[in-house]
Structures are given as C-alpha cells and as structure tokens.
Amino acid sequence: MSHAPAVGIDEIESKALAASFGVPVPRGVRVGDLEEVPQHVAELQPPFVVKVLSNTPIHKSDVGGVKVGLTSNTEVMAAIQQMQDDPRVPAEVVSGYLVEEMAASGHELILGGRVDPSFGPVIMVGAGGIYVHVLDDVAVRVCPITADDALEMLQELRIAPVLFGARGQDPVDVDGLVDAIVRIGGADGLMMTHQDAISELDINPLIVGLNGLCAVDVRVVLAEGGTL
Ligand code: ADP
Ligand code: MG
C-alpha cells in the first residue's frame, strides 16, 4: 500500500489554528529576510526566539533551527544569518523565519491529538519537552472529552504531584491546563472540528506556569487531501 507523504502546515499556521481555538501562543512575526527584522521586531517584547519555518515537519533544535534568549535586533539578525549558513537546514525546505516572544518559564508538557482509523479523534497529554520519549508519561482519551475527563487525565500522570503542588511547591495553572485540553479535545474543540482535515496535532512543549500557559511549539499534519 502506498501513502502520500505527510503534509504539514508551518509553525505559524499551526499556531494560528491553535490560537483560533483559544489556546494561548507566543506573539510572533514571520520574517522573510534580514532587512525585515527591525520593522517586525519592533512589535515584540524581548527576549526573543528565532526559529526556522518549514512545511516539512523537522526537529528544529536538532538542526540548529531554534535560538532562544535573544535581546536585540542584532542578535535576531545574527541568529537568522547563522541558520541560513547552516548546511543542516536545507534551503529548499525553509519557508522563512519565525521571530517570537519567549514564554514565561514553567513545566513543559505535551498536548497532542491524532485521528485514529477506528476510534476517530483521540487526545493525549503528558510530560513533554525533550524527555517525552524517555518519560513515556501520557494519558490518552477518545474525543470528545469534558473538563472532568481533562482533570482526570492530569491526575493520572506520574508528574501529577508536580502539577498539583508537591513538597510545598505552588501548583501550576491547572484550570488553564484543563481549559486548553478541552479546547483541543472537547466537543467543540480543534480535533472534533477538523477531524477530516488533519491527521495529527502536536503541541510540544506547552509551557505551564503558575499563572498561565503557552503553546510554544505547534505542529499540524494534514490528512491526505485535507485543507483547513
Ligand atoms: P523543536 O522543533 O526542536 O521541537 P521547539 O519550537 O519546541 O523546537 O523549541 C525547542 C525548545 O526551545 C522548546 O522545547 C522550548 O524549551 C524552547 N522554546 C521554543 N520556543 C520558545 C518560546 N517562545 N518561549 C520559551 N521557550 C521556547
Ligand atoms: Mg518542540
């Protein structure tokens, strides 16, 4: 059986989709080339992050395609220049650069969805960031889910004590987290609404702090023939 290659939309389009369902994403701008940097960056608050944009899903940090903690136009331009010169990022897959604000620090979770051939849309939440495969700490449900389901998913995780406040630590924004999970996996959520158009959604990481959260990396894979 032959499959068409998985088609992605780029990170800016994926974030716009998540934001249209009410999931907070960083403020950011698309930059085509270096001359545009000063004009665009003026709209943002430092520190900045620069990322390479591609319609083919890539692990940006593996190829030098993410630079965080930049504080000036000069640093942003240098970061883009470095990415343009880096042979690990083939020019033919680059559709531009994303300059965005850095999210407040917090715990890195993964929030994802996929359309299963037998169950339809499913949603998963778990420990995220670079240790996602090592930790293998995820809760999965068939959509649509309610806020109670979302809370239960969080309680199932091995990292639950960290999220709900353990050893005198303050809890993270659990209400915000439940809300974000429902906005993706609920009856009116992204997965149910776009189940014919997308095959996969991956927010990794969703950075959750004490008073808020932010989807700092969003990747959407379209279904064969799917359009948004
Ligand atoms: P990759 O394609 O490698 O997964 P990401 O966009 O997830 O790239 O960026 C890699 C890491 O950089 C993230 O896991 C996160 O720790 C950090 N990061 C990326 N964007 C931001 C941001 N806007 N604010 C804060 N941290 C960020
Ligand atoms: Mg990521």
Side-chain angles (χ1 to χ4, degrees), residues 21-203:
F21 280 82
V23 176
V25 301
R27 283 195 335 136
V29 291
R30 183 188 293 275
V31 171
D33 63 33
L34 288 176
E35 284 98 78
E36 299 171 9
V37 167
Q39 160 207 349
H40 285 309
V41 169
E43 298 162 28
L44 304 175
Q45 291 293 318
F48 311 113
V49 181
V50 171
K51 302 187 195 184
V52 68
L53 287 170
S54 162
N55 292 315
T56 319
I58 52 169
H59 271 282
K60 300 177 296 288
S61 23
D62 289 350
V63 295
V66 180
K67 307 250 185 260
V68 301
L70 310 171
T71 54
S72 64
N73 279 340
T74 320
E75 284 182 16
V76 168
M77 286 193 270
I80 293 174
Q81 184 76 64
Q82 242 182 323
M83 289 179 196
Q84 283 174 340
D85 294 343
D86 195 320
R88 291 176 298 171
V89 189
E92 60 273 18
V93 307
V94 175
S95 59
Y97 297 88
L98 165 61
V99 183
E100 67 181 11
E101 295 180 353
M102 270 197 85
S105 63
H107 296 283
E108 296 203 348
L109 299 187
I110 182 167
L111 175 57
R114 67 188 163 78
V115 180
D116 184 275
S118 14
F119 297 114
V122 297
I123 180 152
M124 63 97 104
V125 65
I130 52 176
Y131 300 117
V132 60
H133 299 294
V134 183
L135 297 173
D136 192 25
D137 183 21
V138 296
V140 183
R141 291 288 187 285
V142 174
C143 300
I145 51 136
T146 64
D148 284 344
D149 298 325
L151 186 62
E152 207 180 79
M153 289 172 83
L154 295 172
Q155 286 163 341
E156 269 174 29
L157 298 176
R158 277 184 278 125
I159 53 155
V162 175
L163 302 177
F164 290 90
R167 297 177 172 253
Q169 300 280 315
D170 289 324
V172 303
D173 181 3
V174 172
D175 290 345
L177 207 43
V178 164
D179 187 60
I181 298 169
V182 172
R183 285 171 187 275
I184 301 295
D188 302 324
L190 191 156
M191 290 306 298
M192 291 301 289
T193 306
H194 291 296
Q195 57 183 297
D196 294 329
I198 74 176
S199 66
E200 242 179 274
L201 162 87
D202 199 9
I203 302 177

